[in-house]
């Protein structure tokens, strides 16, 4: 029951973040949406910051397993990269509300000293995942020489920017955008030279 209740509050926070923005998504607002008193929310989350962290954790917990499973089903390293790109863009497309909530939190949540909690350095883990995929292709002898870190940063920055583009431009089609990006990335990654 505790887990279900916590998840309910996380979902109410996501709805609040999307509809009202970060500033108005208070513990009191989450409680109102859940139909409980503020003290019930505070029993599960000691602060608004803790609730916002739980939102971030839940969104990533929902995203990672299907993306990982899709990558592991690939036969080649190039296919793994293609699946990573396609799956990441499509997750962002099909979870626009969650992506908007993550953006609201990342732009507003601050540490006790007033600094933003999420900065570009916080994205290092996502860049590292993309870089490892690219390095695996080089190590397997499928990809030629290129700087994997630069390519990973470019890839992650594009995927992250797409989430906001999807939210603000209703004419975009996520699966179509994903296929365009897959083709671009595929062209960007050189094949290993055969002697």
């Amino acid at each position: 029951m505790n887990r279900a209740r916590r998840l309910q509050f996380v979902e109410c926070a996501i709805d609040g973040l999307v509809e009202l923005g970060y500033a108005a998504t208070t513990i009191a607002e989450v409680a109102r949406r859940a139909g409980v008193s503020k003290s019930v929310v505070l029993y599960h989350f000691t602060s608004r910051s803790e609730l916002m962290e739980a939102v971030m954790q839940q969104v990533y917990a929902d995203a990672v397993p299907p993306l990982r499973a899709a990558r592991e089903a690939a036969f080649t390293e190039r296919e793994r990269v293609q699946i990573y790109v396609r799956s990441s863009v499509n997750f962002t497309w099909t979870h626009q509300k969650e992506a908007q909530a993550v953006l609201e939190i990342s732009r507003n949540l601050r540490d006790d000293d007033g600094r933003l909690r999420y900065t570009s350095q916080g994205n290092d883990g996502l860049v590292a995942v993309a870089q490892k995929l690219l390095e695996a292709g080089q190590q397997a002898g499928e990809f030629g020489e290129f700087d994997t870190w630069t390519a990973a940063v470019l890839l992650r920055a594009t995927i992250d920017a797409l989430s906001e583009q999807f939210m603000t431009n209703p004419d975009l089609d996520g699966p179509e955008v994903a296929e365009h990006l897959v083709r671009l990335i595929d062209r960007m990654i050189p094949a290993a030279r055969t002697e």
Side-chain angles (χ1 to χ4, degrees):
M1 180 65 172
N2 266 355
R3 176 150 170 69
R5 181 63 94 170
R6 285 176 62 90
L7 187 56
Q8 177 192 17
F9 296 146
V10 163
E11 290 170 356
C12 288
I14 290 171
D15 290 340
L17 288 161
V18 170
E19 294 169 22
L20 306 172
Y22 183 84
T25 306
T26 61
I27 293 289
E29 174 60 22
V30 170
R32 185 191 70 74
R33 286 171 178 270
V36 300
S37 69
K38 186 176 163 182
S39 63
V40 175
V41 178
L42 288 170
Y43 174 79
H44 295 278
F45 299 98
T46 59
S47 66
R48 178 175 155 190
S49 293
E50 186 181 330
L51 174 57
M52 295 300 147
E53 288 288 352
V55 169
M56 298 291 272
Q57 291 167 3
Q58 187 61 52
V59 171
Y60 285 109
D62 290 344
V64 170
L67 297 180
R68 186 176 290 141
R71 279 195 327 261
E72 290 173 0
F75 293 106
T76 68
E77 299 305 323
R78 189 168 292 275
E79 283 179 0
R80 276 187 185 66
V81 172
Q82 292 168 344
I83 288 170
Y84 171 78
V85 172
R86 187 177 294 114
S87 299
S88 296
V89 173
N90 284 330
F91 182 87
T92 301
W93 168 252
T94 58
H95 293 79
Q96 291 180 38
K97 182 171 75 168
E98 292 84 352
Q100 186 172 351
V102 165
L103 279 174
E104 281 291 318
I105 294 168
S106 64
R107 291 178 176 162
N108 292 286
L109 183 61
R110 297 186 177 272
D111 287 327
D112 292 337
D113 61 6
R115 288 185 300 182
L116 281 173
R117 177 140 338 147
Y118 295 99
T119 62
S120 60
Q121 290 150 348
N123 205 20
D124 288 349
L126 295 173
V127 170
V129 169
Q131 185 175 6
K132 284 179 185 171
L133 285 170
L134 298 169
E135 287 172 348
Q138 286 180 333
Q139 291 163 0
E142 288 185 37
F143 302 163
E145 285 303 312
F146 63 96
D147 183 62
T148 58
W149 179 83
T150 302
V153 169
L154 176 67
L155 181 55
R156 277 312 319 174
T158 302
I159 292 168
D160 294 342
L162 282 174
S163 70
E164 195 160 15
Q165 291 298 314
F166 290 151
M167 289 180 268
T168 58
N169 187 345
D171 294 331
L172 289 174
D173 178 80
E176 184 179 311
V177 170
E179 292 310 311
H180 287 305
L181 185 56
V182 165
R183 285 193 296 274
L184 285 170
I185 297 299
D186 201 41
R187 282 188 219 133
M188 183 182 77
I189 300 170
R193 290 184 181 180
T194 54
E195 302 290 333

